[in-house]
């Protein structure tokens, strides 16, 4: 109350459903972290400055003057705070900072820059916002890494990286399809009462194998959830595991040629990354979970260091 | 009003959302048809007799005694009127009548028999109820037909027929996925305001080609709906057409080896059958729309004629 903490700068990951902020020391150490549920999905354009100021109350710049805030994620979307036009892949992510936009803030205490997302127009229309910063962070933490990176989630991203360059990426709607099918489709009748019990693992493995073997049959194999519960008395846990395995298996199966036997960094929730690692193991590849907070922080730091 | 119409028997197609009844003359001519919105989805087990009696009020048997009613569809499901256990494919659909169940009716005016559905346990768990009667009808109308039959809809059925035998079948959740994605997913933002305008056809053709070429990429190509509207300013009509084309293209593309260059009978709504015929044409096959009412009636008649 009235005490000011001084930091070198602040990094912010402003997503659709929440935001996280880290206060950083000159050596890059995190000296404080704060978060809020005021994600892009809940805000009008005018509300962003107030949310940021409230979240960073009591923070000051240890260099005097205004405090620099570097933001990545959905705050830069057209429907966000201030649109940061996409960089177009293939591109070197060290260029992110050059595409940053600087929204006006009503008082002079904070200075904000919002990093752009990345789009792709040849090789399949696609967009990302936020993941590009994690990818830059991964490249910074692992100099010289080249290969496929997977970011499992509502809309899973797969990126072909070569150092700090993103060569190509794709998006699978796996997480969103799982939720829609689990809660809204005819399959929900077969999942009612699932408790995450033992049958789930067995169903997951069975579904994953089918997805890997026949990714082109997804819309048909989905109906097997319903038929199996009617015909074979499959329990809700088994059915929910099968649905999850089938969707993840399809996602990975359709990328088999690209994945080969690589060790694929997995950036996402630990529970989800463990499922992806299991399925990658089924095709002779490996999944290696990477801490998402660590890479987004490394990405914000790397982007800031490329300021000319 | 006290006047009784006399028929030889009554055929009923009792589906999830409605039911249709036809009164038939001894020569098989339809002398009256009635329908109701009291489908299985709205009824408890005890309500079926009353709904049927109300629908058939004023009808009598021209042979005296009780009036025979032959029912196909979801009334025979476990959650319907009276469960008619599945026949298991591969099987000869002339055996449907042997699997019929006869639910009790409170007065002696009507006598009902409900035809079974068909299940499949080897070659992929699957179930159908109602479609088997249409398939028997198609076989009756086209003696000697052998090949693939498609029944587009919420859950599209594909059956390999050989005369009256059903050798194998599969179910694609195409219609249900289209509705879920159109109304509930992130893609809905790109479809708001679609009016079925000119761009729809162009989007449909583009989506269908991608689905045919890369059916294993469905969960990734779906996201292109969103990305295309953000990046290329694709209009809602184009996006809705693309989504529809991608799903139907994927369904047909994943069955390409089975379809070959056949002429595929299409049983379903005329508008939907026209879309399937268009996509079948893109792979050098043909689609031939068949009237759904005609085949269900032919199927009920054929089933009745096999009564020993």
């Amino acid at each position: 109350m009235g005490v000011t903490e001084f930091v070198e700068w602040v990094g912010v990951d402003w997503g659709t459903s929440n935001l996280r902020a880290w206060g950083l020391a000159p050596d890059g150490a995190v000296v404080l972290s704060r978060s809020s549920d005021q994600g892009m999905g809940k805000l009008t354009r005018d509300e962003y400055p107030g949310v940021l100021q409230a979240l960073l109350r009591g923070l000051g710049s240890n260099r005097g003057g205004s405090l620099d805030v570097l933001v990545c994620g959905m705050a830069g979307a057209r429907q966000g705070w201030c649109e940061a036009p996409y960089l177009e892949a293939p591109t070197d992510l060290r260029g992110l900072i050059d595409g940053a936009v600087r929204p006006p803030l009503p008082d002079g205490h904070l200075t904000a820059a919002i990093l752009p997302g990345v789009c792709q127009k040849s090789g399949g229309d696609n967009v990302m916002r936020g993941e590009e910063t994690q990818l830059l962070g991964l490249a910074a933490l692992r100099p010289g890494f080249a290969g496929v990176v997977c970011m499992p989630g509502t809309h899973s991203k797969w990126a072909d990286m070569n150092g700090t360059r993103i060569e190509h990426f794709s998006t699978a709607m796996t997480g969103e399809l799982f939720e829609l099918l689990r809660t809204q489709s005819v399959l929900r009748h077969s999942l009612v009462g699932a408790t995450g019990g033992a049958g789930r693992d067995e169903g997951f493995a069975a579904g994953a194998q089918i997805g890997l073997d026949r990714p082109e049959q997804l819309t048909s194999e989905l109906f097997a959830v319903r038929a199996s519960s009617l015909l074979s008395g499959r329990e809700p846990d088994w059915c929910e595991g099968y649905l999850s395995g089938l969707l993840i298996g399809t996602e990975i199966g359709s990328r088999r040629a690209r994945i080969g036997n690589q060790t694929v960094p997995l950036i996402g929730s630990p529970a989800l990354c463990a499922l992806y690692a299991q399925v990658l193991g089924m095709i002779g590849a490996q999944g290696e979970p990477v801490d998402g907070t660590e890479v987004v922080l490394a990405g914000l730091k790397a982007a800031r260091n490329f300021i000319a």
Side-chain angles (χ1 to χ4, degrees), chain A residues 119-127 169-171:
Chain A
C119 73
Q120 178 172 268
K121 293 180 181 175
S122 67
D125 278 358
N126 220 318
V127 291
F169 68 102
S170 61
T171 304

Side-chain angles (χ1 to χ4, degrees), chain A residues 102-120:
Chain A
R102 298 175 184 282
L105 279 159
D107 76 28
H109 176 60
L110 301 177
T111 308
I114 306 177
L115 296 174
V118 174
C119 73
Q120 178 172 268

